[in-house]
Amino acid sequence: MTIVNLEHLAGRRVLSQRGKSIGYIEEIRAEPDGDDFVVTEFHVGVYAAFERLSASAIGVAVLDLFGLRRRGGLYRIPWDKLDISNPARPRLLCPMTELPGMKSAPDLPE
């Protein structure tokens, strides 16, 4: 088990397996596990930033207005698909094609 302080990950650039930047960690999702919390996924990209700043349909409407939800580079990365052993350089452990896009998030309006 890897233990990392969240403040060391938030805002970090995420690299693909090939070393290309895919965006910045904008949000870290966690669930309670007894007395602790366990990270379930990382949200990376422009839409993730809007999601963090605006928990309403207005933020989604703004993204749709500018077509940002339909662009690439908006990812939900499951906890086990991101190597955080070096928190300064988080790196994907899978091809980008395996990552779900933000617009498929079940709790967000389409």
Side-chain angles (χ1 to χ4, degrees):
M1 172 172 60
T2 302
I3 298 176
V4 174
N5 290 329
L6 295 180
E7 64 267 14
H8 294 154
L9 286 173
R12 293 290 182 179
R13 182 186 316 240
V14 175
L15 302 175
S16 70
Q17 287 181 310
R18 295 181 177 180
K20 179 182 175 189
S21 174
I22 66 164
Y24 294 88
I25 296 175
E26 297 291 348
E27 184 168 329
I28 301 169
R29 294 275 174 118
E31 295 179 355
D33 183 25
D35 292 335
D36 297 319
F37 282 86
V38 176
V39 171
T40 57
E41 66 186 13
F42 301 90
H43 292 189
V44 174
V46 175
Y47 184 74
F50 273 92
E51 178 187 29
R52 179 171 48 89
L53 297 173
S54 173
S56 71
I58 294 171
V60 173
V62 169
L63 289 171
D64 285 340
L65 177 66
F66 294 105
L68 293 174
R69 269 205 316 169
R70 292 172 182 81
R71 292 183 185 169
L74 312 172
Y75 304 104
R76 292 171 38 224
I77 304 174
W79 70 270
D80 61 342
K81 304 282 187 194
L82 190 64
D83 176 6
I84 59 171
S85 59
N86 178 356
R89 295 183 56 88
R91 181 179 290 270
L92 283 179
L93 294 172
C94 66
M96 289 174 47
T97 55
E98 289 184 20
L99 299 177
M102 293 300 294
K103 67 181 189 175
S104 65
D107 57 340
L108 299 174
E110 283 293 327

